[in-house]
Coordinates of all heavy atoms in Angstrom, one line a residue:
D15 N 104.9 91.0 133.6 CA 103.7 90.2 134.0 C 104.2 88.7 134.2 O 105.3 88.4 133.9 CB 102.7 90.3 133.1 CG 101.9 91.6 133.1 OD1 102.1 92.4 134.0 OD2 101.0 91.9 132.1
S16 N 103.3 87.9 134.7 CA 103.5 86.6 134.9 C 102.5 85.7 134.0 O 101.4 86.1 133.8 CB 103.3 86.1 136.4 OG 104.3 86.8 137.2
L17 N 102.9 84.5 133.8 CA 102.1 83.5 133.1 C 102.4 82.2 133.6 O 103.6 81.9 134.0 CB 102.2 83.5 131.6 CG 101.4 84.4 130.7 CD1 101.8 84.1 129.2 CD2 99.9 84.1 130.9
R18 N 101.5 81.2 133.7 CA 101.8 79.8 134.0 C 101.3 79.0 132.9 O 100.1 78.9 132.6 CB 101.1 79.4 135.3 CG 101.6 78.1 135.8 CD 101.0 77.6 137.1 NE 99.6 77.1 137.0 CZ 99.0 76.3 137.9 NH1 99.7 75.9 139.0 NH2 97.8 75.9 137.6
L19 N 102.2 78.2 132.3 CA 101.9 77.3 131.3 C 101.7 75.9 131.9 O 102.3 75.6 133.0 CB 103.1 77.2 130.3 CG 103.5 78.5 129.6 CD1 104.6 78.2 128.6 CD2 102.3 79.2 129.1
S20 N 100.9 75.1 131.3 CA 100.6 73.8 131.8 C 100.8 72.8 130.7 O 100.6 73.2 129.4 CB 99.2 73.7 132.2 OG 98.9 74.5 133.3
C21 N 101.2 71.6 131.0 CA 101.4 70.6 130.0 C 100.8 69.3 130.6 O 101.3 68.7 131.5 CB 102.9 70.3 129.7 SG 103.2 68.9 128.5
A22 N 99.6 68.9 130.0 CA 98.9 67.7 130.5 C 99.4 66.5 129.7 O 99.3 66.5 128.5 CB 97.4 68.0 130.3
Q23 N 99.7 65.4 130.5 CA 100.2 64.2 129.9 C 99.0 63.2 130.0 O 98.3 63.1 130.9 CB 101.3 63.7 130.7 CG 102.5 64.7 131.0 CD 103.4 64.2 132.0 OE1 104.0 63.2 131.9 NE2 103.5 64.9 133.1
S24 N 99.0 62.4 129.0 CA 98.0 61.3 128.9 C 98.7 60.1 128.2 O 99.7 60.3 127.5 CB 96.8 61.7 128.2 OG 97.0 62.1 126.9
G25 N 98.1 59.0 128.4 CA 98.7 57.8 127.9 C 99.3 56.9 128.9 O 99.2 57.1 130.1
R26 N 99.9 55.8 128.4 CA 100.4 54.8 129.4 C 101.7 55.3 130.1 O 102.6 55.8 129.5 CB 100.7 53.5 128.6 CG 99.4 52.9 128.1 CD 99.8 51.6 127.2 NE 100.6 50.7 128.0 CZ 101.2 49.7 127.5 NH1 101.1 49.5 126.1 NH2 101.8 48.8 128.2
T27 N 101.8 55.0 131.4 CA 103.0 55.2 132.2 C 103.6 56.6 132.0 O 104.8 56.8 132.0 CB 104.0 54.1 131.9 OG1 104.4 54.2 130.5 CG2 103.5 52.8 132.2
S28 N 102.8 57.6 131.8 CA 103.3 58.9 131.7 C 104.1 59.4 132.8 O 105.0 60.2 132.7 CB 102.1 59.9 131.3 OG 101.2 59.9 132.4
R29 N 103.9 58.9 134.0 CA 104.5 59.3 135.1 C 106.0 59.0 135.1 O 106.7 59.7 135.8 CB 103.8 58.6 136.3 CG 104.4 58.6 137.5 CD 103.7 58.0 138.6 NE 104.4 58.4 139.8 CZ 103.9 58.0 141.1 NH1 102.8 57.4 141.1 NH2 104.7 58.3 142.1
R30 N 106.5 58.2 134.4 CA 107.9 57.8 134.4 C 108.7 58.8 133.5 O 109.9 58.7 133.5 CB 108.2 56.4 133.9 CG 107.5 55.3 134.6 CD 107.9 54.0 134.1 NE 108.0 54.0 132.7 CZ 108.1 52.9 132.0 NH1 108.2 51.7 132.5 NH2 108.1 52.9 130.7
Y31 N 108.2 59.7 132.8 CA 108.9 60.6 131.9 C 109.5 61.8 132.6 O 108.9 62.4 133.3 CB 107.9 61.0 130.7 CG 107.6 59.9 129.8 CD1 106.5 59.0 130.0 CD2 108.4 59.6 128.8 CE1 106.2 58.0 129.2 CE2 108.1 58.6 127.8 CZ 107.0 57.8 128.0 OH 106.7 56.7 127.2
H32 N 110.7 62.0 132.2 CA 111.3 63.3 132.4 C 110.7 64.3 131.5 O 110.3 64.0 130.3 CB 112.8 63.3 132.2 CG 113.5 62.2 132.8 ND1 113.5 61.9 134.2 CD2 114.3 61.2 132.4 CE1 114.3 60.9 134.5 NE2 114.8 60.4 133.4
M33 N 110.6 65.5 131.9 CA 109.9 66.6 131.2 C 110.7 67.8 130.9 O 111.5 68.2 131.8 CB 108.5 66.9 131.9 CG 107.6 65.8 132.0 SD 107.0 65.2 130.5 CE 106.1 66.6 129.8
G34 N 110.5 68.4 129.8 CA 111.2 69.7 129.4 C 110.3 70.6 128.8 O 109.3 70.3 128.2
W35 N 110.7 71.9 128.9 CA 110.1 73.0 128.2 C 111.1 73.6 127.2 O 112.2 73.9 127.6 CB 109.5 74.1 129.1 CG 108.2 73.8 129.9 CD1 108.1 73.2 131.1 CD2 106.9 73.9 129.3 NE1 106.8 73.1 131.4 CE2 106.1 73.5 130.4 CE3 106.4 74.3 128.1 CZ2 104.7 73.5 130.2 CZ3 105.0 74.3 128.0 CH2 104.1 73.9 129.0
F36 N 110.7 73.8 126.0 CA 111.5 74.5 125.0 C 110.7 75.6 124.4 O 109.4 75.7 124.6 CB 111.9 73.5 123.9 CG 113.0 72.5 124.3 CD1 112.6 71.5 125.1 CD2 114.2 72.6 123.8 CE1 113.6 70.5 125.5 CE2 115.2 71.7 124.2 CZ 114.9 70.7 125.0
R37 N 111.4 76.6 123.7 CA 110.6 77.6 123.1 C 111.3 77.9 121.7 O 112.5 77.7 121.5 CB 110.6 78.8 123.9 CG 112.0 79.5 124.2 CD 111.8 80.7 125.2 NE 113.1 81.4 125.4 CZ 113.3 82.3 126.4 NH1 112.2 82.6 127.1 NH2 114.5 82.9 126.5
Q38 N 110.5 78.5 120.8 CA 111.0 78.8 119.5 C 110.4 80.2 119.1 O 109.2 80.3 118.9 CB 110.7 77.8 118.5 CG 111.3 78.0 117.2 CD 111.3 76.7 116.3 OE1 110.4 75.8 116.6 NE2 112.1 76.7 115.3
A39 N 111.3 81.1 119.0 CA 111.0 82.4 118.5 C 111.0 82.5 116.9 O 111.6 81.6 116.3 CB 111.8 83.5 119.1
P40 N 110.2 83.4 116.4 CA 110.2 83.5 114.9 C 111.7 83.6 114.3 O 112.4 84.5 114.7 CB 109.4 84.7 114.6 CG 108.5 84.8 115.7 CD 109.3 84.4 116.9
G41 N 112.0 82.7 113.4 CA 113.3 82.9 112.8 C 114.4 82.3 113.5 O 115.6 82.4 113.1
K42 N 114.1 81.7 114.7 CA 115.2 81.1 115.6 C 115.0 79.6 115.8 O 113.9 79.1 115.6 CB 115.2 81.9 116.9 CG 115.6 83.4 116.8 CD 115.8 84.0 118.1 CE 116.2 85.4 118.0 NZ 116.4 86.0 119.4
E43 N 116.0 79.0 116.2 CA 116.0 77.6 116.6 C 115.3 77.4 117.9 O 115.2 78.3 118.8 CB 117.4 77.0 116.5 CG 118.1 77.0 115.2 CD 119.4 76.3 115.3 OE1 119.8 75.8 116.3 OE2 120.0 76.0 114.2
R44 N 114.7 76.2 118.0 CA 114.2 75.8 119.3 C 115.2 75.7 120.4 O 116.3 75.1 120.1 CB 113.5 74.4 119.1 CG 112.5 74.2 120.2 CD 111.6 73.0 119.9 NE 110.7 73.3 118.7 CZ 109.8 72.5 118.3 NH1 109.5 71.3 119.0 NH2 109.0 72.7 117.3
E45 N 114.9 76.4 121.5 CA 115.9 76.3 122.6 C 115.3 75.9 123.9 O 114.1 76.0 124.2 CB 116.4 77.8 122.7 CG 115.4 78.8 123.3 CD 116.0 80.2 123.6 OE1 117.3 80.3 123.5 OE2 115.3 81.0 124.1
F46 N 116.3 75.3 124.6 CA 115.9 74.8 126.0 C 115.5 75.8 126.9 O 116.2 76.9 126.9 CB 117.2 74.0 126.5 CG 117.0 73.6 127.9 CD1 116.1 72.5 128.3 CD2 117.8 74.2 128.9 CE1 116.1 72.1 129.6 CE2 117.6 73.8 130.2 CZ 116.7 72.8 130.6
V47 N 114.5 75.6 127.7 CA 114.1 76.6 128.7 C 114.3 76.0 130.1 O 114.9 76.6 131.0 CB 112.6 77.0 128.5 CG1 112.1 77.9 129.6 CG2 112.4 77.7 127.2
A48 N 113.7 74.8 130.4 CA 113.7 74.2 131.7 C 113.3 72.7 131.6 O 112.8 72.3 130.6 CB 112.7 74.9 132.6
A49 N 113.7 72.0 132.5 CA 113.5 70.5 132.6 C 113.4 70.1 134.1 O 113.8 70.6 135.0 CB 114.6 69.8 131.9
V50 N 112.6 69.0 134.3 CA 112.4 68.4 135.5 C 112.5 66.9 135.4 O 112.0 66.4 134.5 CB 111.0 68.8 136.1 CG1 109.8 68.5 135.3 CG2 110.8 68.3 137.5
N51 N 113.1 66.2 136.3 CA 113.2 64.7 136.3 C 111.8 64.2 136.6 O 110.9 64.8 137.0 CB 114.3 64.3 137.1 CG 114.0 64.2 138.6 OD1 113.2 65.0 139.0 ND2 114.7 63.3 139.3
W52 N 111.7 62.8 136.4 CA 110.5 62.2 136.5 C 109.8 62.4 137.9 O 108.6 62.4 138.1 CB 110.6 60.7 136.2 CG 111.4 59.9 137.2 CD1 112.7 59.7 137.3 CD2 110.8 59.3 138.4 NE1 113.0 58.9 138.4 CE2 111.9 58.7 139.1 CE3 109.5 59.1 138.9 CZ2 111.7 58.0 140.3 CZ3 109.3 58.4 140.1 CH2 110.4 57.9 140.7
S53 N 110.7 62.4 139.0 CA 110.1 62.5 140.3 C 109.8 63.9 140.7 O 109.0 64.1 141.7 CB 111.1 61.9 141.3 OG 112.2 62.7 141.4
G54 N 110.3 64.9 140.0 CA 110.2 66.2 140.4 C 111.3 66.8 141.3 O 111.3 67.9 141.7
G55 N 112.2 65.9 141.7 CA 113.2 66.2 142.6 C 114.4 67.0 142.1 O 115.1 67.6 142.9
S56 N 114.5 67.0 140.7 CA 115.6 67.8 140.2 C 115.1 68.7 139.0 O 114.3 68.2 138.3 CB 116.7 66.9 139.6 OG 117.3 66.1 140.6
T57 N 115.5 69.9 139.1 CA 115.0 70.8 138.1 C 116.3 71.5 137.4 O 117.3 71.7 138.1 CB 114.1 72.0 138.7 OG1 114.8 72.6 139.7 CG2 112.8 71.3 139.2
Y58 N 116.1 72.0 136.2 CA 117.3 72.5 135.4 C 116.6 73.7 134.6 O 115.6 73.6 134.1 CB 117.8 71.5 134.5 CG 118.1 70.2 135.2 CD1 117.1 69.2 135.2 CD2 119.3 69.9 135.8 CE1 117.4 68.0 135.8 CE2 119.6 68.7 136.5 CZ 118.6 67.8 136.5 OH 118.8 66.6 137.1
Y59 N 117.5 74.7 134.4 CA 117.1 76.0 133.8 C 118.1 76.5 132.8 O 119.3 76.4 133.1 CB 116.7 77.1 134.8 CG 115.6 76.6 135.7 CD1 115.8 76.1 137.0 CD2 114.3 76.9 135.4 CE1 114.9 75.7 137.8 CE2 113.2 76.5 136.2 CZ 113.5 76.0 137.4 OH 112.5 75.6 138.2
A60 N 117.6 77.1 131.8 CA 118.6 77.9 131.0 C 118.9 79.1 131.6 O 118.2 79.7 132.5 CB 117.9 78.3 129.6
D61 N 120.2 79.7 131.5 CA 120.6 80.8 132.1 C 119.7 82.0 131.9 O 119.5 82.8 132.8 CB 122.0 81.2 131.6 CG 123.0 80.2 132.3 OD1 122.7 79.5 133.2 OD2 124.2 80.2 131.7
S62 N 119.1 82.1 130.7 CA 118.3 83.3 130.4 C 117.0 83.4 131.2 O 116.4 84.4 131.3 CB 117.9 83.2 128.9 OG 117.2 82.0 128.6
V63 N 116.6 82.3 131.8 CA 115.4 82.2 132.6 C 115.5 82.0 134.1 O 114.6 82.0 134.8 CB 114.4 81.2 132.0 CG1 114.1 81.5 130.5 CG2 114.7 79.8 132.3
K64 N 116.8 81.7 134.5 CA 117.0 81.2 135.8 C 116.7 82.4 136.8 O 117.0 83.5 136.5 CB 118.5 80.9 136.0 CG 118.8 80.0 137.1 CD 120.3 79.5 137.1 CE 120.5 78.6 135.9 NZ 121.9 78.0 135.9
G65 N 115.9 82.1 137.8 CA 115.5 83.1 138.8 C 114.1 83.7 138.4 O 113.6 84.3 139.3
R66 N 113.7 83.5 137.2 CA 112.4 84.1 136.8 C 111.4 82.9 136.6 O 110.1 83.2 136.7 CB 112.6 84.9 135.5 CG 113.5 86.1 135.6 CD 113.5 87.0 134.4 NE 113.9 86.3 133.2 CZ 113.2 86.1 132.1 NH1 112.0 86.6 132.0 NH2 113.7 85.5 131.0
F67 N 111.8 81.9 136.0 CA 110.9 80.7 135.7 C 111.1 79.6 136.7 O 112.1 79.4 137.2 CB 111.2 80.3 134.2 CG 110.8 81.1 133.1 CD1 110.5 82.4 133.3 CD2 110.9 80.7 131.8 CE1 110.2 83.3 132.3 CE2 110.6 81.5 130.8 CZ 110.2 82.8 131.0
T68 N 109.9 78.9 136.9 CA 109.9 77.7 137.8 C 109.2 76.5 137.1 O 108.0 76.8 136.7 CB 109.4 78.0 139.1 OG1 110.1 79.2 139.8 CG2 109.5 76.8 140.1
I69 N 109.9 75.4 137.0 CA 109.2 74.3 136.5 C 108.9 73.4 137.6 O 109.6 73.3 138.6 CB 110.1 73.5 135.5 CG1 109.4 72.4 134.8 CG2 111.4 73.0 136.1 CD1 110.1 71.8 133.5
S70 N 107.7 72.7 137.4 CA 107.2 71.9 138.6 C 106.3 70.8 137.9 O 105.9 70.9 136.8 CB 106.6 72.6 139.7 OG 105.4 73.2 139.2
R71 N 106.0 69.7 138.7 CA 105.1 68.7 138.1 C 104.2 68.2 139.3 O 104.7 68.1 140.4 CB 105.9 67.7 137.5 CG 106.8 66.8 138.3 CD 107.7 65.9 137.5 NE 106.9 65.0 136.7 CZ 107.4 64.4 135.6 NH1 108.7 64.5 135.3 NH2 106.7 63.5 135.0
D72 N 103.1 67.8 138.9 CA 102.2 67.1 139.8 C 101.9 65.7 139.1 O 101.1 65.6 138.2 CB 101.0 67.9 139.9 CG 100.0 67.2 140.9 OD1 100.1 66.0 141.2 OD2 99.1 68.0 141.5
N73 N 102.6 64.6 139.6 CA 102.5 63.3 139.1 C 101.0 62.8 139.2 O 100.6 61.8 138.5 CB 103.5 62.4 139.4 CG 104.8 62.7 138.8 OD1 104.9 63.3 137.8 ND2 105.9 62.3 139.4
T74 N 100.4 63.2 140.3 CA 99.0 62.6 140.5 C 98.1 63.1 139.4 O 97.1 62.5 139.1 CB 98.5 63.0 141.9 OG1 98.4 64.5 142.0 CG2 99.5 62.6 143.0
E75 N 98.3 64.3 139.0 CA 97.5 64.8 137.9 C 98.1 64.7 136.5 O 97.4 65.0 135.5 CB 97.2 66.4 138.1 CG 96.4 66.7 139.4 CD 96.1 68.2 139.5 OE1 96.5 68.9 138.6 OE2 95.3 68.5 140.4
G76 N 99.3 64.3 136.4 CA 100.0 64.1 135.2 C 100.2 65.4 134.4 O 100.1 65.5 133.2
T77 N 100.6 66.5 135.2 CA 100.7 67.8 134.6 C 102.1 68.4 135.0 O 102.6 68.2 136.2 CB 99.6 68.7 135.1 OG1 98.3 68.1 134.7 CG2 99.7 70.1 134.4
V78 N 102.7 69.1 134.1 CA 103.9 69.8 134.3 C 103.6 71.2 134.1 O 102.8 71.6 133.2 CB 105.0 69.4 133.4 CG1 106.2 70.1 133.5 CG2 105.3 67.9 133.6
Y79 N 104.2 72.1 135.0 CA 103.9 73.5 134.8 C 105.2 74.3 134.7 O 106.3 73.9 135.1 CB 103.3 74.0 136.2 CG 102.1 73.3 136.6 CD1 102.0 72.2 137.5 CD2 100.8 73.7 136.0 CE1 100.9 71.6 137.8 CE2 99.7 73.1 136.4 CZ 99.7 72.0 137.3 OH 98.6 71.4 137.6
L80 N 105.0 75.5 134.0 CA 106.1 76.4 133.9 C 105.6 77.7 134.3 O 104.9 78.4 133.7 CB 106.7 76.4 132.5 CG 107.9 77.4 132.3 CD1 109.1 76.8 133.0 CD2 108.2 77.6 130.8
Q81 N 106.0 78.2 135.6 CA 105.6 79.5 136.1 C 106.6 80.5 135.6 O 107.8 80.4 135.9 CB 105.6 79.4 137.6 CG 105.2 80.8 138.3 CD 103.9 81.2 138.0 OE1 102.9 80.5 138.0 NE2 103.7 82.5 137.7
M82 N 106.1 81.5 134.8 CA 106.9 82.5 134.3 C 106.7 83.8 134.9 O 105.6 84.4 134.7 CB 106.8 82.5 132.8 CG 107.0 81.2 132.1 SD 106.9 81.2 130.3 CE 105.2 81.8 130.1
N83 N 107.7 84.4 135.6 CA 107.5 85.7 136.2 C 108.5 86.7 135.5 O 109.4 86.3 134.8 CB 107.9 85.6 137.6 CG 106.9 84.6 138.4 OD1 105.8 84.5 138.0 ND2 107.5 84.0 139.5
S84 N 108.2 87.9 135.8 CA 109.1 89.0 135.2 C 109.3 88.9 133.8 O 110.5 88.9 133.3 CB 110.4 89.1 136.0 OG 110.2 89.3 137.4
L85 N 108.3 88.6 133.0 CA 108.5 88.3 131.6 C 109.0 89.5 130.8 O 108.8 90.6 131.2 CB 107.2 87.9 131.0 CG 106.7 86.5 131.3 CD1 105.2 86.3 131.1 CD2 107.6 85.5 130.5
K86 N 109.8 89.1 129.8 CA 110.5 90.2 129.0 C 110.0 90.0 127.6 O 109.7 88.9 127.1 CB 112.0 90.0 129.1 CG 112.5 90.1 130.5 CD 114.1 89.7 130.5 CE 114.6 89.8 131.9 NZ 116.1 89.5 131.9
P87 N 110.1 91.0 126.7 CA 109.8 90.9 125.3 C 110.6 89.7 124.7 O 110.0 89.1 123.8 CB 110.1 92.2 124.7 CG 109.9 93.2 125.9 CD 110.4 92.5 127.1
E88 N 111.8 89.5 125.1 CA 112.6 88.5 124.4 C 112.2 87.0 124.8 O 112.7 86.0 124.3 CB 114.1 88.6 124.8 CG 114.4 88.8 126.3 CD 114.6 90.3 126.6 OE1 113.7 91.2 126.2 OE2 115.4 90.6 127.4
D89 N 111.2 87.0 125.8 CA 110.6 85.7 126.1 C 109.5 85.3 125.1 O 109.0 84.2 125.2 CB 110.0 85.6 127.5 CG 111.1 85.9 128.6 OD1 112.1 85.2 128.5 OD2 110.8 86.6 129.5
T90 N 109.2 86.2 124.2 CA 108.2 85.9 123.2 C 108.6 84.7 122.3 O 109.6 84.7 121.8 CB 107.9 87.1 122.4 OG1 107.4 88.2 123.1 CG2 107.0 86.9 121.2
A91 N 107.7 83.7 122.3 CA 108.0 82.5 121.5 C 106.8 81.6 121.6 O 105.9 81.8 122.5 CB 109.2 81.8 122.0
V92 N 106.8 80.5 120.8 CA 106.0 79.4 121.0 C 106.7 78.5 122.0 O 107.9 78.1 121.7 CB 105.7 78.6 119.7 CG1 104.8 77.4 120.0 CG2 105.0 79.6 118.7
Y93 N 106.0 78.1 123.0 CA 106.5 77.2 124.1 C 106.0 75.7 123.9 O 104.8 75.6 123.7 CB 106.2 77.7 125.4 CG 107.0 78.9 125.9 CD1 106.8 80.2 125.2 CD2 108.0 78.8 126.9 CE1 107.6 81.3 125.6 CE2 108.8 79.9 127.2 CZ 108.6 81.2 126.5 OH 109.4 82.2 126.9
Y94 N 106.9 74.8 124.0 CA 106.6 73.5 123.7 C 107.1 72.6 124.9 O 108.1 72.9 125.5 CB 107.3 72.8 122.6 CG 107.1 73.5 121.2 CD1 107.8 74.6 120.8 CD2 106.1 73.0 120.4 CE1 107.5 75.1 119.6 CE2 105.8 73.5 119.2 CZ 106.5 74.7 118.8 OH 106.2 75.2 117.5
C95 N 106.2 71.7 125.3 CA 106.6 70.7 126.4 C 107.0 69.4 125.7 O 106.5 69.1 124.6 CB 105.5 70.5 127.4 SG 104.0 69.9 126.8
A96 N 107.9 68.7 126.3 CA 108.4 67.5 125.7 C 108.7 66.5 126.8 O 108.9 66.8 128.0 CB 109.7 67.8 124.9
A97 N 108.7 65.3 126.5 CA 108.9 64.1 127.4 C 109.9 63.2 127.0 O 110.1 62.9 125.7 CB 107.5 63.3 127.6
R98 N 110.7 62.7 127.9 CA 111.7 61.7 127.6 C 111.8 60.6 128.6 O 111.6 60.9 129.9 CB 113.1 62.5 127.6 CG 114.3 61.5 127.6 CD 115.6 62.1 127.6 NE 116.7 61.1 127.6 CZ 117.0 60.3 126.5 NH1 116.5 60.6 125.4 NH2 118.0 59.5 126.7
N99 N 112.0 59.4 128.2 CA 112.2 58.2 129.0 C 113.5 57.7 128.9 O 113.9 57.3 127.8 CB 111.1 57.2 128.7 CG 111.2 56.0 129.6 OD1 111.7 56.1 130.7 ND2 110.7 54.8 129.2
G100 N 114.4 57.8 129.9 CA 115.8 57.4 129.8 C 116.7 58.2 130.6 O 116.2 59.0 131.5
I101 N 118.0 58.1 130.3 CA 119.0 58.9 131.0 C 118.7 60.4 130.8 O 118.0 60.8 129.8 CB 120.4 58.6 130.6 CG1 120.6 58.9 129.1 CG2 120.8 57.2 131.0 CD1 122.0 58.8 128.6
F102 N 119.1 61.2 131.8 CA 118.7 62.6 131.7 C 119.9 63.6 132.0 O 119.7 64.6 132.7 CB 117.5 62.8 132.8 CG 116.6 64.0 132.4 CD1 116.1 64.1 131.2 CD2 116.3 65.0 133.4 CE1 115.2 65.2 130.8 CE2 115.3 65.9 133.0 CZ 114.9 66.1 131.9
E103 N 121.0 63.2 131.5 CA 122.2 64.0 131.8 C 122.1 65.3 131.0 O 121.3 65.4 130.0 CB 123.5 63.2 131.4 CG 123.5 62.8 130.0 CD 124.7 61.8 129.7 OE1 125.0 61.0 130.7 OE2 125.3 61.9 128.7
E104 N 123.0 66.3 131.2 CA 122.8 67.6 130.7 C 122.9 67.6 129.2 O 122.1 68.3 128.5 CB 123.9 68.5 131.2 CG 123.8 69.9 130.7 CD 124.8 70.9 131.3 OE1 125.7 70.3 132.0 OE2 124.7 72.1 131.0
S105 N 123.7 66.8 128.6 CA 123.8 66.8 127.1 C 122.6 66.3 126.4 O 122.4 66.5 125.2 CB 125.1 65.9 126.8 OG 124.8 64.5 127.1
I106 N 121.8 65.6 127.2 CA 120.5 65.1 126.6 C 119.3 66.0 127.0 O 118.6 66.5 126.1 CB 120.2 63.7 127.1 CG1 121.2 62.7 126.7 CG2 118.8 63.3 126.7 CD1 121.2 62.4 125.2
R107 N 119.2 66.4 128.2 CA 118.0 67.2 128.6 C 117.9 68.6 128.1 O 116.8 69.2 128.0 CB 117.9 67.2 130.1 CG 119.0 67.9 130.8 CD 118.8 68.0 132.3 NE 119.9 68.7 133.0 CZ 120.9 68.1 133.6 NH1 120.9 66.8 133.7 NH2 121.8 68.8 134.2
T108 N 119.0 69.1 127.6 CA 119.0 70.5 127.1 C 118.9 70.5 125.6 O 119.0 71.6 124.9 CB 120.2 71.3 127.5 OG1 121.4 70.6 127.1 CG2 120.3 71.5 129.0

Side-chain angles (χ1 to χ4, degrees):
D15 286 350
S16 298
L17 272 179
R18 189 177 78 159
L19 306 183
S20 300
C21 178
Q23 308 166 62
S24 61
R26 295 176 57 189
T27 63
S28 58
R29 166 172 191 177
R30 300 186 319 192
Y31 289 88
H32 308 302
M33 298 296 297
W35 284 97
F36 286 74
R37 66 187 181 187
Q38 188 165 17
K42 295 187 177 181
E43 293 187 355
R44 194 167 296 190
E45 65 173 0
F46 170 74
V47 175
V50 59
N51 74 333
W52 70 271
S53 70
S56 297
T57 57
Y58 312 91
Y59 298 93
D61 288 342
S62 59
V63 306
K64 201 171 294 183
R66 300 188 297 123
F67 291 11
T68 302
I69 189 171
S70 61
R71 67 190 299 162
D72 183 338
N73 283 340
T74 62
E75 295 187 355
T77 303
V78 177
Y79 302 98
L80 184 69
Q81 177 66 43
M82 306 185 295
N83 298 330
S84 302
L85 283 162
K86 304 175 181 180
E88 50 263 45
D89 294 318
T90 295
V92 177
Y93 283 72
Y94 299 89
C95 58
R98 170 177 175 78
N99 184 22
I101 60 173
F102 207 47
E103 59 189 37
E104 182 177 9
S105 62
I106 295 294
R107 63 177 179 259
T108 59

